[in-house]
């Protein structure tokens, strides 16, 4: 995925909501200058920053990652076909992880589901508001949570408070494939 799309989407969503950079900064707790750099693609935000921005814009992270932002609609059911699933390949913004977006067209989600292909090495720890659920679909995952390390095999799952720094990497000769659902119980809305 072209990283410029993410930056353009943030700016497009901000202007659609008629928010200034200063107003978005107040909602996210980030500085106006940092947000400006993100919109100009000068600063690559980590996933935790994208969740803050998405919360402040009252959209899901997958909306920011979409190639085509559609106007919000009232969708009570969202059916996504596997053959049409989008995969966002590893970029500097998503260190080491490939993402398969699930339920992309469902507006107003309280949960963010996706499939992750875990990297072979841990490049950074993540921490963000909410709770997270991970289910190992394939492979073996070394999961770091705070100061603890766990080895998860196919069929194992973990549910955790995602404000604690966490990350994971694939073990063995096959990349781990994980079903992940993030629940945001507190949005940065004002």
């Amino acid at each position: 995925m072209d990283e410029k799309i993410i930056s353009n989407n943030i700016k497009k969503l901000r202007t659609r909501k008629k928010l200034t950079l200063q107003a978005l900064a107040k909602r996210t707790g980030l500085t106006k200058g940092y947000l400006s750099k993100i919109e100009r693609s000068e600063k690559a935000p980590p996933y935790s920053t994208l969740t803050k921005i998405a919360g402040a814009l009252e959209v899901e992270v997958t909306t920011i990652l979409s190639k085509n932002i559609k106007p919000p609609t009232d969708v009570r059911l969202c059916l996504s076909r596997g053959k049409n699933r989008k995969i966002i390949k590893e970029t500097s913004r998503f260190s080491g992880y490939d993402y398969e977006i699930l339920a992309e067209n469902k507006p107003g989600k309280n949960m963010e589901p996706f499939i992750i292909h875990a990297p072979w090495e841990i490049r950074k720890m993540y921490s963000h508001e909410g709770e997270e659920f991970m289910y190992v679909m394939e492979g073996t995952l070394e999961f770091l949570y705070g100061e603890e390390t766990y080895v998860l095999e196919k069929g194992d799952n973990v549910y955790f408070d995602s404000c604690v720094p966490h990350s994971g990497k694939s073990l063995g000769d096959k990349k781990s494939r994980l079903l992940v659902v993030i629940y945001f119980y507190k949005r940065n809305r004002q």
Side-chain angles (χ1 to χ4, degrees):
M1 172 172 216
D2 182 0
E3 293 182 7
K4 187 84 174 149
I5 290 172
I6 296 169
S7 298
N8 289 338
N9 284 348
I10 292 170
K11 184 172 185 175
K12 186 184 295 182
L13 290 164
R14 177 182 62 77
T15 55
R16 185 183 286 173
K17 290 200 169 282
K18 298 182 172 130
L19 290 173
T20 63
L21 278 172
Q22 186 61 45
L24 184 58
K26 185 176 179 183
R27 286 183 175 197
T28 60
L30 303 169
T31 67
K32 177 182 171 183
Y34 181 61
L35 290 168
S36 177
K37 286 180 181 181
I38 290 171
E39 285 189 1
R40 292 190 322 262
S41 292
E42 292 178 18
K43 187 72 176 163
Y47 188 82
S48 57
T49 300
L50 285 179
T51 62
K52 285 181 184 180
I53 294 170
L57 294 171
E58 300 177 332
V59 299
E60 293 78 30
V61 173
T62 53
T63 302
I64 293 174
L65 302 176
S66 296
K67 287 187 180 180
N68 299 312
I69 297 180
K70 298 175 183 130
T73 58
D74 181 16
V75 177
R76 299 196 189 262
L77 178 117
C78 175
L79 174 65
S80 301
R81 302 287 184 190
K83 64 183 177 186
N84 299 327
R85 187 173 303 137
K86 296 177 185 175
I87 297 179
I88 298 171
K89 293 292 190 181
E90 170 188 1
T91 67
S92 61
R93 296 175 196 241
F94 304 106
S95 297
Y97 295 92
D98 292 342
Y99 290 83
E100 294 181 46
I101 299 173
L102 304 175
E104 176 182 9
N105 297 318
K106 174 70 172 110
K109 294 186 292 242
N110 291 312
M111 299 180 295
E112 194 71 49
F114 46 92
I115 294 172
I116 289 180
H117 301 256
W120 300 107
E121 63 184 60
I122 294 175
R123 296 185 189 160
K124 65 189 291 186
M125 298 292 281
Y126 296 90
S127 129
H128 49 87
E129 66 183 32
E131 298 174 341
E132 194 164 332
F133 171 81
M134 290 191 323
Y135 174 83
V136 181
M137 298 168 59
E138 295 176 354
T140 303
L141 179 77
E142 181 179 272
F143 176 62
L144 279 67
Y145 185 72
E147 300 294 319
E148 301 293 323
T149 301
Y150 304 90
V151 175
L152 305 174
E153 303 283 340
K154 180 179 177 179
D156 292 347
N157 67 79
V158 61
Y159 190 109
F160 56 94
D161 184 336
S162 51
C163 70
V164 174
H166 57 279
S167 194
K169 70 176 182 177
S170 294
L171 297 177
D173 58 355
K174 185 176 187 176
K175 264 195 169 183
S176 300
R177 195 162 164 249
L178 315 166
L179 171 64
V180 177
V181 179
I182 298 176
Y183 171 65
F184 300 101
Y185 53 81
K186 176 183 159 197
R187 293 282 192 179
N188 293 318
R189 297 179 183 157
Q190 292 183 353

